[in-house]
Amino acid sequence: MREFDLVLHGATGFTGQLAAKELSLYAPPALRWAISGRSEHKLQELGEKHAVPYLVADGLDAPAVQRVADSAGTVISCAGPFQEFGTPLVRACAHAGTHYADLSGELGWIWQLIQELHPVAQERGACIIPASGFDSVPSDLGVYTLAETIRQSGDAIGDITGFYRLKGGLNGGTLASGVSQSRHYSPEDLQHPFLLDPDPTQSWDNRLMPPEREKVFEVRGLRSFAAPFLMAPVNERVVRRTAALLSGTSNDYGNDFCYSEFHRSSDKAKAKQISAALTMTNWALNKPVLTKLIERFGPKPGEGPSEQVRTTGLVELTLLAGDIDNPGHRLDWFFPGDPGNTVTVRCLVQVGLSLAAGESRATGLQTPATALGARLTERLFERDALLNSA
Ligand SMILES: NC(=O)c1ccc[n+]([C@@H]2O[C@H](COP(=O)([O-])OP(=O)(O)OC[C@H]3O[C@@H](n4cnc5c(N)ncnc54)[C@H](OP(=O)(O)O)[C@@H]3O)[C@@H](O)[C@H]2O)c1
């Protein structure tokens, strides 16, 4: 029995405060939850607002984060960039057998965690789920759900292709994480398509890759055009880790499975603009002088989009199985609210509540789908009517 069922770390940041509000609205009344972070005065104010206790713990203070990990059954974290402040807390949770989830989309850091902490987390009974925000919960659970539908129809699970239509704004914390990743890893370090697999060196050769496509291409089945998607490198690799971890189980995606993901636009010219903007962003993030300018003129850590932008935002995910112009199966999910805050916080909080309720099915470094599977989808449904059709 720990002092708290759940601790929200990094609670005083932009997403952290939204997560605290979400918990205060949706946590079961009996849940013993608390907040933690580095700034005592902000924690005190937030703690009073939600009538919850707080713990002071700088992410780089190993004994302090150990106290957080020891005090809780589950920790969820919004304290990023995770590459900069995140590792001691995940390490402490893995060793204490404390379940943990966060908002990281920092591929290199997640890879590092898998290398260091998967065995110890398994041994101590901790379920660790990075990428529990907009990246990569909808993609990972969407593929898991569609794969189940295909399996039940008796068809084989082959190519699944994801298309996102999005509306929202950019957080300073997200920008800081992108800059941090570019400082620690080169694009070559992260290009391996199976980077997050249990053994990337083996799976490179014997797993299928998605078909090669033009940068911008027409998707007749959706009457749309597709462009490269900013979060695809993370989402695709998380989904592939899920496929690898499920291999040999009753949820096996099969040997013909592969996944790729794109941005969707109804207009070809807009799709070309999205593609060009992404190429420019990736180029700029790898030029130290330009990253300094991005940091200077972009939104700062602690800043994020207005309430109006957040509430009028949206996430639409469509997954097509087989030929994208004539798909055999299809899944459409709609999430109201902006991807980087409203949807992100909803996902993280439901992952945390599910872990705190003892619903995880695996230990070690997991993905949302391998750890919580259909139960997490149900929770997201229960939280709101999210699913349009499957
Ligand atoms: N997965 C997704 O879809 C998604 C979406 C949005 C954001 N994110 C990620 O989530 C993270 C947070 O984003 P955000 O917009 O909330 O950023 P933010 O407003 O800058 O918040 C960062 C949080 O980290 C805390 N922090 C900073 N240094 C710390 C340290 N040394 N020890 C402990 N806490 C520390 C900050 O504390 P103070 O309040 O004291 O400054 C703050 O609570 C970022 O990494 C971002 O990339 C992911």
Side-chain angles (χ1 to χ4, degrees), residues 41 50 216 363 370:
H41 64 287
H50 296 298
V216 171
T363 55
T370 60

Side-chain angles (χ1 to χ4, degrees), residues 9-16 37-39 42 57-60 78-82 85 102-106 131-136 171-175 177-178 300-303 339-341 344:
H9 183 67
T12 55
F14 199 84
T15 52
R38 65 173 172 175
S39 309
K42 291 191 201 172
D58 188 292
L60 298 175
C78 298
F82 293 88
F85 326 115
D102 68 34
L103 292 184
S104 60
E106 297 159 45
S132 287
F134 166 63
D135 35 297
S136 299
N171 290 27
T174 304
L175 190 62
S177 296
K300 307 282 174 293
E303 295 176 0
N341 293 286
T344 281

Side-chain angles (χ1 to χ4, degrees), residues 171-221:
N171 290 27
T174 304
L175 190 62
S177 296
V179 169
S180 164
Q181 170 154 290
S182 73
R183 289 197 174 126
H184 286 88
Y185 296 94
S186 72
E188 293 71 39
D189 292 336
L190 305 177
Q191 72 179 351
H192 195 310
F194 298 99
L195 185 76
L196 303 184
D197 273 29
D199 186 354
T201 52
Q202 278 188 19
S203 52
W204 172 265
D205 287 333
N206 55 23
R207 283 199 178 258
L208 281 181
M209 284 296 293
E212 291 277 329
R213 297 191 190 278
E214 297 290 318
K215 274 206 161 169
V216 171
F217 59 94
E218 190 174 2
V219 190
R220 284 195 287 277

